[in-house]
Amino acid sequence: MQIIKHTGRLKLVLSRYRKQGATIGFIPTMGALHPGHLSLIKQSVITDDITVSSIYVNPTQFDDKSDLKNYPRNFKSDYALLKSEECTIVFSPDNKEMYPRPDNRRFNFGRMGDVMEGKMRPGHFNGVAQIVTKLFDAVQPHRAYFGKKDFQQLAIIQKLVNDYDIEIVACPIIREKDGLAMSSRNSLLSDQERNDAPAIYRTLLLVKEKFRNRNVKEAEKFVEARINKYTSLKLEYFQIVNSITLDPVDEIASTIPLTACIAVYAGSVRLIDNIDIFS
Ligand code: PAF
């Protein structure tokens, strides 16, 4: 496995592979890798000739500076995990490499960018789009792999790649045995928060089971009461949206695909999850 820190070198190495006709799969990450990330790497190793992963904690997508400071960083163990999965190249640039000058680009995602994460974390998706476009330009992959846990990010990136010839591969959420969606942030949970956090997925399962053909308001009340009864949990938002447009809906009717999305604070750690209501 090659570790590359500069975009120029990355482009050169990949152009050689491309000339040989190799297909390139790409998994962008912010490190602190867990089995969810590794499932994306595995998928690319099976599908593509070359697998490139990036490790870069992108400052422009953090609206909260203390969240950026506390974001877990484990470069050494990340490299070891990527090597054991037979990743071909790791790209791990520093801030000067990715932002030699401020990036003033402003992306417009339409209504899709204004709900849920877009509403709660102003500027977050603009920062994601800045770094993902820089990384796509550097790697020029045939396929890029993203997890469905970041459901809205996935929809926004799918919109973004209309300008690129890249296939976006959406991969299933990987969960702990107790249902908690795997996330780099889980390592920041206290014992009490970790004990309470599986209630998030259990609540989503109950919504899926009990609220078909009912009003979203009823589901919202149910979710708020269930989550907030745990001392360490605080609901930030629960929303049911059209799975394609991300427009919020009022009725849980099976005429369109719907996804229930949730963000919860476990102490100071923000966790997100989602479930497809009709699958
Ligand atoms: O999902 C993530 O880890 C990040 O948002 C991404 C796509 C690597 C961009 O920094």
Side-chain angles (χ1 to χ4, degrees):
M1 185 178 80
Q2 245 182 302
I3 299 175
I4 298 181
K5 294 194 174 289
H6 298 287
T7 312
R9 170 98 193 123
L10 179 69
K11 284 185 171 169
L12 183 73
V13 170
L14 288 175
S15 74
R16 288 189 191 134
Y17 280 117
R18 228 174 269 111
K19 270 187 202 138
Q20 291 164 15
T23 59
I24 299 168
F26 178 47
I27 300 94
T29 82
M30 297 204 299
L33 302 181
H34 53 69
H37 294 114
L38 301 184
S39 72
L40 311 182
I41 304 282
K42 282 186 189 14
Q43 188 61 50
S44 167
V45 169
I46 292 169
T47 316
D48 309 299
D49 299 319
I50 300 297
T51 295
V52 181
S53 184
S54 60
I55 299 180
Y56 177 64
V57 183
N58 172 38
T60 70
Q61 70 187 77
F62 285 81
D63 50 319
D64 173 353
K65 293 297 159 221
S66 70
D67 189 23
L68 171 62
K69 187 165 160 263
N70 296 331
Y71 198 83
R73 292 161 170 89
N74 308 316
F75 289 95
K76 261 199 178 154
S77 68
D78 287 345
Y79 290 152
L81 285 168
L82 289 173
K83 191 169 176 199
S84 70
E85 293 299 338
E86 297 178 12
C87 179
T88 326
I89 295 171
V90 189
F91 179 51
S92 63
D94 63 13
N95 289 339
K96 247 174 62 199
E97 184 68 20
M98 293 323 286
Y99 295 99
R101 64 199 75 81
D103 186 341
N104 296 318
R105 288 176 298 161
R106 290 289 168 267
F107 294 81
N108 181 0
F109 309 111
R111 288 203 308 267
M112 198 179 257
D114 296 337
V115 292
M116 303 190 292
E117 296 300 290
K119 188 169 168 190
M120 296 300 165
R121 304 181 67 189
H124 168 65
F125 286 126
N126 201 68
V128 169
Q130 287 178 345
I131 193 64
V132 168
T133 50
K134 281 171 188 274
L135 291 168
F136 281 176
D137 287 337
V139 179
Q140 296 172 37
H142 295 83
R143 290 183 198 82
Y145 297 76
F146 291 87
K148 287 188 186 170
K149 184 177 79 67
D150 293 296
F151 169 75
Q152 191 174 6
Q153 169 173 279
L154 180 60
I156 277 178
I157 286 170
Q158 252 146 0
K159 197 166 182 179
L160 201 65
V161 292
N162 284 340
D163 301 340
Y164 291 80
D165 189 16
I166 299 174
E167 179 191 344
I168 299 297
V169 184
C171 299
I173 300 175
I174 306 295
R175 297 183 181 281
E176 300 286 356
K177 278 205 182 81
D178 57 17
L180 177 64
M182 289 200 183
S183 161
S184 303
R185 293 175 196 273
N186 292 354
S187 67
L188 303 172
L189 296 171
S190 69
D191 289 348
Q192 181 64 53
E193 291 155 6
R194 178 64 189 82
N195 270 336
D196 293 347
I200 299 169
Y201 183 53
R202 285 201 304 272
T203 304
L204 290 179
L205 286 173
L206 286 169
V207 168
K208 182 175 166 121
E209 187 189 313
K210 291 178 183 295
F211 286 88
R212 285 179 182 216
N213 300 317
R214 288 173 67 181
N215 190 280
V216 171
K217 285 264 172 309
E218 295 174 71
E220 277 168 12
K221 273 193 201 142
F222 169 80
V223 170
E224 190 172 4
R226 255 197 90 86
I227 294 293
N228 291 349
K229 80 176 184 192
Y230 292 87
T231 43
S232 78
L233 303 185
K234 179 99 184 81
L235 180 70
E236 185 182 53
Y237 69 75
F238 168 77
Q239 196 132 49
I240 299 189
V241 297
N242 177 317
S243 305
I244 315 294
T245 63
L246 271 50
D247 282 335
V249 297
D250 295 328
E251 299 295 328
I252 310 177
S254 58
T255 44
I256 42 171
L258 295 180
T259 301
C261 301
I262 192 167
V264 172
Y265 274 97
S268 60
V269 183
R270 192 169 179 279
L271 301 173
I272 59 170
D273 202 348
N274 65 82
I275 198 165
D276 184 332
I277 295 277
F278 298 118
S279 72

